[in-house]
Amino acid sequence: MTRSSLSTVVLGAGAVGSFYGAMLARAGLAVHLIAREPHVAAIAQQGGLRLDMGGQQQLVPVAATSTLDALREADLVLVCVKSTDTAEVAAQMAPLLRPDALVLSLQNGVENADTLARTLSNPVIPTVVYVAVGMPEPGRVTHHGRGELVIGPRTAAEAAQPTLMARLQGLVTHFAQAQVGVSISLQVMEALWEKLVINCAYNALSALTQQPYGLIAQQDGVLALQRALVAEVVAVARAQGLRLDEAALWAATAQIAHSMATQRSSTAQDLVRGKATEIDHLNGFVARRGAALGVATPMNQALWAMVKLAETSAWRPTPSGVMALSQRA
């Protein structure tokens, strides 16, 4: 995989997809963003994607469209669509992808790679994303912290394929050219569950209060609530046969309040914009799996219900923390 031979398409280029697309493009790598029309139009008008990072703003020239045609020439596809859209997008991708194209799922939740693989014949690589980003307006992405990725084979059978593992090692080199750290893990599914723990501890709380992670953690009673949320997700994971270290995960969860102090969750950003959230695939997923496995998850169940209520209510949170009348009602 060389700089000239690996063509990357970002499918669903919102905040996360646009960030990684911008990092690759500014390194001189071939990148094509597939995004919503307002984002595409802003990029075209500006002559590139505006990347706010490290206290500076850079205009990164990058191709962007709202159609799927670019998938036909992709060597690498970064799937960044919402979890609610994964099955539909997989069906749209299937007839367009080249047989040798590699698909990475850079999505929240733990089910997306399997959902993609049920439809696609291409290798689908689960990817754990550790980045704090936002998209304050079309054509602009703001980096708040971190940026590393963890990739790995989806199944034990894939882990035993030397060719696939060599391709994953090639991705480490590829992203390194863009100053994006990528590591390979044979326990990537466990890592996705570990990320789910953190999402369940922060996303809904940030959405309902419209507060960043640092301020949330400072409020009385929040740490106890987050400890309970972490314990519930770990209990469900263990019931599924996964070995998660609750103490280590709590330490990682607490650290997020410092390493991503200014970040508001993607759920918060969706809710304030009147968009459907991914809560069904976060706290809602934990509640459903817990019920199926006989594990009580009252805290996750409550936060899931509250976010679903906020999605459909005439009153919704705003970035100021007050409630406003929604135009969706």
Side-chain angles (χ1 to χ4, degrees):
M1 294 181 178
T2 65
R3 184 184 296 273
S4 60
S5 66
L6 186 60
S7 175
T8 301
V9 172
V10 181
L11 178 54
V16 169
S18 293
F19 170 74
Y20 288 106
M23 294 295 285
L24 292 167
R26 76 173 189 170
L29 301 167
V31 180
H32 199 118
L33 306 182
I34 298 177
R36 296 184 183 278
E37 187 56 42
H39 194 41
V40 171
I43 291 171
Q45 184 177 19
Q46 298 167 170
L49 175 65
R50 296 192 183 279
L51 173 63
D52 297 333
M53 186 175 182
Q56 298 181 335
Q57 185 176 96
Q58 180 179 359
L59 185 64
V60 182
V62 63
T65 61
S66 56
T67 68
L68 302 182
D69 291 340
L71 290 172
R72 300 180 187 276
E73 301 302 323
D75 299 305
L76 173 66
V77 180
L78 310 184
V79 178
C80 303
V81 302
K82 296 293 185 184
S83 298
T84 50
D85 298 326
T86 302
E88 180 181 355
V89 162
Q92 295 171 344
M93 294 170 63
L96 302 176
L97 292 178
R98 289 170 17 190
D100 60 345
L102 198 60
V103 177
L104 270 61
S105 168
L106 279 71
Q107 300 169 275
N108 281 329
V110 299
E111 302 171 287
N112 289 293
D114 285 344
T115 300
L116 290 168
R118 281 195 291 270
T119 300
L120 303 178
S121 58
N122 303 74
V124 178
I125 307 304
T127 306
V128 191
V129 180
Y130 297 103
V131 71
V133 288
M135 199 165 75
E137 59 187 343
R140 179 183 170 200
V141 63
T142 302
H143 177 258
H144 297 288
R146 301 183 69 174
E148 66 271 26
L149 302 173
V150 176
I151 62 175
R154 189 174 56 87
T155 66
E158 290 182 350
Q161 297 176 13
T163 301
L164 179 62
M165 296 305 295
R167 295 187 74 185
L168 296 190
Q169 189 59 53
L171 289 179
V172 174
T173 303
H174 177 68
F175 278 97
Q177 296 175 94
Q179 298 182 319
V180 173
V182 176
S183 58
I184 299 173
S185 172
L186 296 181
Q187 286 78 43
V188 68
M189 295 308 298
E190 284 85 348
L192 279 173
W193 270 88
E194 291 169 356
K195 174 72 180 301
L196 178 66
V197 168
I198 293 172
N199 282 337
C200 287
Y202 282 100
N203 279 43
L205 291 175
S206 179
L208 293 167
T209 63
Q210 287 297 310
Q211 296 297 319
Y213 300 161
L215 288 179
I216 288 172
Q218 294 175 20
Q219 301 304 310
D220 290 342
V222 168
L223 293 182
L225 172 57
Q226 288 182 311
R227 277 186 177 273
L229 289 163
V230 169
E232 288 181 6
V233 183
V234 170
V236 173
R238 287 175 176 170
Q240 286 209 169
L242 299 174
R243 297 181 179 180
L244 299 188
D245 185 330
E246 184 176 339
L249 280 171
W250 170 245
T253 300
Q255 178 59 31
I256 291 294
H258 303 286
S259 63
M260 298 184 178
T262 62
Q263 176 74 5
R264 284 189 307 125
S265 70
S266 59
T267 308
Q269 296 175 54
D270 287 339
L271 195 59
V272 78
R273 292 170 181 160
K275 296 169 60 178
T277 74
E278 294 181 294
I279 202 67
D280 286 341
H281 299 271
L282 303 175
N283 304 83
F285 168 77
V286 172
R288 290 194 308 276
R289 289 302 299 153
L293 296 167
V295 178
T297 59
M299 298 302 181
N300 280 277
Q301 173 77 25
L303 287 183
W304 167 78
M306 292 172 71
V307 173
K308 295 298 286 186
L309 181 62
E311 283 184 342
T312 59
S313 175
W315 294 89
R316 59 179 172 81
T318 71
S320 64
V322 300
M323 303 299 284
L325 185 62
S326 170
Q327 298 301 313
R328 298 166 60 215

